[in-house]
Amino acid sequence: MNANATPAIAVQDVSKFFVSADGRRTRALDKVNLAVERGEFVSIIGPSGCGKTTMLKMVGGILDWDEGSISVMGAPVSGPGPERATVFQSFALLPWMTVLDNAAFGLKMRGETKAARHAKARNLLETVGLADFANAYPGELSGGMQQRVGLARALAVSPNVLLMDEPFSAIDAQTRLILQTELLDVWSQTDLSVLFITHAMDEAVFLSDRVVIMGARPGHVTDVIDIDLPRPRTEETRRDPRFVELTARVWDRLRGLMTDERAGAPS
Amino acid sequence: MSGLLRQAGQWLNPPFLISLAMLAIVWEFAGRSADILTLPPLSAVLAAFVRLWSSGVLTAPLLDSTIALLTGLAISLFVGSAVGIAIGLSRVADVALGPFIKAGLSAPMIAFVPVFMMIFGIGSETRIATVIAFSIFVVATNAATAVRSTDPALLEMARSFGAGRWRILGEIRLPAGAPYFLAGLRLGVARGIKGLINGEVLIAIMGMGGLVKKYGTVFSMDQLYAVILLIVLYAAIWVGAVTLLGRLVLTERRK
Ligand SMILES: Nc1ncnc2c1ncn2[C@@H]1O[C@H](COP(=O)(O)OP(=O)(O)OP(=O)(O)O)[C@@H](O)[C@H]1O
Ligand SMILES: [Mg+2]
């Protein structure tokens, strides 16, 4: 049993087609390959519409693909599973439930008793610094606090793999930097593997072990950049010349893709 | 509770009170001066109201009508919601039943009362059927919208945590649709009362509508207007109460 040898997420030669309203098949993803090792933090960055969300949904098991294979923790994906949890761009909190019940939602879906799920959810609210807001409603919280609830909800189900689709893009720039550090704190205390989608290059570099760059039309992986910045990453990291250099390198690669897009052809 | 008071306070604002007073004055003078036999002065109507109320003549029809209304509404809410939810969730149900709901929503239901009379006879079943016919379609339409209009992000979230179709209905679609269900309830109550009185006037021997018929045929205008006043108040109180209930439920959830 050497399950530890298999990556946390393995995407192999995956292609995806969408059928448009007029019946035309368009290729959204073309033979994508991607691996996230156990305990690794990987970001995907790429122009809008290149298929990042599509990828993440397929790994999450809520969207089918047409060719190739996807496995998580060594097992083929055939739907959502208890070893995966997702944090959403729009937070996706239930406005009629308290923060505590929101954080416990995933556990409820897994059939845990009220006492057990509340105990766990309380624990995680403490981890994300929201213990005092257990009985508040999402509408009473700031965006940053709401996403902390989203994170607590995902962590409460004790996943091995955390999927995050632009989780901080709806949050103001200052809070965002704080959430990045908090996320790394939480992650470093666990053996979580993270697949993180973002449009922010500094965010990708600051958080990740590797940054995967995707191009569009159809969606494909163009580059993988290793981020060899030391951990733990702190505010100092953001001023590290290496951080600046890596961010610039990501931008160089991305800019190439963006100009392709404008010209409509490779230049 | 303060919310309740604030809601009630909306009716006690100066512009409304002034227009109410103007209406009362115009009514009083029109009733007194002109020799319009069909319009007794407001004071006479109010006197008749007090007289009828304290003699207890209104009590039995009021209770009788209320029981029929609640029976009809209960059936409408139960069946209408179930059908509406099915339509909202399933394409097949939508295609099969949707057109009937749309037709029923705009059809002049009063035309069916004679049919109900033939089926159910001159009895309470006929007006219950009328209440249902008037209210069920708006309840169903709103129930369909309630479960259809759920934020896709919430559905995706629930699915990602392994929730199945029925779990999603109970945990996400129904609570998220609460405002639509409450709107359906409010409209259903308002239409149900219309149906109730319509049915009773045509049936002619029961409830508040029966009183309208009774005093109308003998040209007892002050008593006729007193009963109409009662019906208007009755409807306003019901709709107001349901609206309040809805607001309370929604603020309790603190959207
Ligand atoms: N349900 C769908 N039906 C048809 N086409 C779709 C569907 N979902 C996505 N697409 C198309 O697939 C492509 C990839 O979409 P996706 O949402 O994955 O992009 P993205 O990289 O997440 O973009 P963004 O950065 O804007 O979030 C887009 O061209 C989009 O129009
Ligand atoms: Mg996206």
Side-chain angles (χ1 to χ4, degrees):
Chain A
M1 191 72 199
N2 64 342
N4 279 332
T6 61
I9 301 173
V11 176
Q12 276 158 358
D13 291 327
V14 164
S15 297
K16 168 76 183 172
F17 300 89
F18 281 117
V19 180
S20 53
D22 57 8
R24 285 217 336 270
R25 253 162 72 100
T26 50
R27 191 184 276 269
L29 289 175
D30 184 37
K31 291 201 186 311
V32 170
N33 283 282
L34 177 77
V36 177
E37 301 301 330
R38 302 210 172 193
E40 198 182 20
F41 199 123
V42 173
S43 291
I44 302 181
I45 195 164
S48 202
C50 72
K52 303 181 296 293
T53 297
T54 303
M55 263 289 296
L56 200 84
K57 283 185 185 173
M58 293 186 319
V59 175
I62 58 171
L63 188 67
D64 291 329
W65 58 95
D66 298 294
E67 292 163 10
S69 71
I70 300 180
S71 58
V72 170
M73 303 305 284
V77 168
S78 63
E83 76 290 349
R84 279 157 289 161
T86 306
V87 178
F88 299 87
Q89 179 176 14
S90 64
F91 317 143
L93 299 178
L94 305 176
W96 58 87
M97 281 188 187
T98 61
V99 163
L100 183 65
D101 281 324
N102 267 288
F105 183 81
L107 295 165
K108 189 178 188 185
M109 293 306 104
R110 289 188 190 167
E112 299 220 8
T113 65
K114 192 165 184 161
R117 60 178 194 254
H118 277 182
K120 269 190 211 168
R122 254 180 227 291
N123 243 327
L124 279 145
L125 286 178
E126 194 143 327
T127 305
V128 299
L130 285 179
D132 293 342
F133 293 87
N135 297 318
Y137 285 81
E140 300 168 332
L141 306 186
S142 69
M145 290 158 96
Q146 292 191 39
Q147 194 56 300
R148 286 190 179 99
V149 180
L151 182 61
R153 176 176 63 192
L155 294 173
V157 298
S158 320
N160 302 105
V161 170
L162 195 58
L163 305 172
M164 307 181 85
D165 191 355
E166 302 188 37
F168 304 149
S169 68
I171 291 165
D172 69 87
Q174 298 91 50
T175 308
R176 189 172 181 154
L177 297 186
I178 290 165
L179 285 174
Q180 290 169 5
T181 314
E182 287 182 6
L183 174 61
L184 285 186
D185 278 351
V186 171
W187 170 73
S188 65
Q189 288 160 32
T190 63
D191 50 9
L192 268 176
S193 315
V194 183
L195 187 55
F196 187 102
I197 293 177
T198 180
H199 277 286
M201 291 163 288
D202 58 333
E203 182 168 85
V205 171
F206 181 74
L207 294 173
S208 312
D209 297 314
R210 283 185 299 143
V211 175
V212 173
I213 296 178
M214 284 180 71
R217 242 159 283 176
H220 61 289
V221 174
T222 61
D223 269 298
V224 180
I225 298 177
D226 284 310
I227 307 298
D228 50 11
L229 293 165
R231 291 191 187 270
R233 306 216 175 132
T234 62
E235 291 312 311
E236 284 307 305
T237 309
R238 298 183 195 279
R239 286 183 279 275
D240 188 328
R242 183 81 187 132
F243 173 83
V244 177
E245 189 188 327
L246 285 164
T247 309
R249 185 184 302 176
V250 171
W251 173 228
D252 281 342
R253 303 290 160 83
L254 270 176
R255 206 178 39 187
L257 299 170
M258 314 290 274
T259 43
D260 282 1
E261 189 157 276
R262 273 170 111 191
S267 48
Chain B
M1 208 57 208
S2 66
L4 267 171
L5 289 176
R6 216 170 331 115
Q7 295 290 332
Q10 285 183 356
W11 294 95
L12 298 176
N13 60 62
F16 174 68
L17 293 179
I18 288 169
S19 65
L20 191 67
M22 301 247 291
L23 175 70
I25 290 166
V26 170
W27 183 348
E28 182 66 25
F29 279 96
R32 273 170 197 259
S33 65
D35 34 6
I36 320 168
L37 286 172
T38 49
L39 186 70
L42 178 60
S43 52
V45 171
L46 291 177
F49 185 91
V50 172
R51 199 159 12 91
L52 288 173
W53 186 264
S54 49
S55 74
V57 178
L58 297 178
T59 324
L62 191 67
L63 285 177
D64 183 41
S65 287
T66 303
I67 290 167
L69 176 70
L70 292 180
T71 311
L73 283 178
I75 295 170
S76 264
L77 288 180
F78 194 75
V79 178
S81 298
V83 170
I85 289 169
I87 286 176
L89 291 182
S90 136
R91 261 214 68 65
V92 176
D94 187 18
V95 173
L97 303 174
F100 295 107
I101 303 291
K102 284 199 189 78
L105 200 56
S106 51
M109 280 301 158
I110 193 158
F112 287 84
V113 179
V115 181
F116 296 149
M117 278 204 229
M118 281 190 272
I119 300 172
F120 299 111
I122 307 289
S124 203
E125 288 89 346
T126 297
R127 63 182 167 164
I128 291 172
T130 315
V131 170
I132 296 170
F134 270 71
S135 59
I136 195 166
F137 299 103
V138 75
V139 170
T141 305
N142 278 270
T145 311
V147 296
R148 239 197 307 245
S149 59
T150 321
D151 177 359
L154 296 185
L155 298 177
E156 211 164 83
M157 183 279 292
R159 273 203 292 148
S160 81
F161 282 107
R165 199 184 157 91
W166 298 109
R167 211 72 212 268
I168 286 178
L169 177 64
E171 297 284 344
I172 311 285
R173 288 187 192 271
L174 293 183
Y180 289 104
F181 281 111
L182 289 166
L185 174 66
R186 199 173 62 236
L187 293 169
V189 167
R191 283 174 164 235
I193 293 173
K194 274 189 206 166
L196 173 79
I197 304 300
N198 272 318
E200 286 178 345
V201 170
L202 289 174
I203 299 165
I205 56 163
M206 51 180 69
M208 292 183 284
L211 290 179
V212 169
K213 187 76 179 176
K214 177 175 154 192
Y215 296 134
T217 16
V218 299
F219 288 95
S220 173
M221 297 319 283
D222 52 348
Q223 305 196 82
L224 175 60
Y225 276 96
V227 174
I228 292 173
L229 205 60
L230 174 70
I231 290 171
V232 170
L233 284 175
Y234 183 79
I237 288 171
W238 265 113
V239 173
V242 174
T243 309
L244 260 183
L245 174 83
R247 300 244 168 97
L248 283 181
V249 169
L250 292 183
T251 46
E252 193 51 39
R253 308 193 322 170
R254 281 188 256 180
K255 178 100 186 180

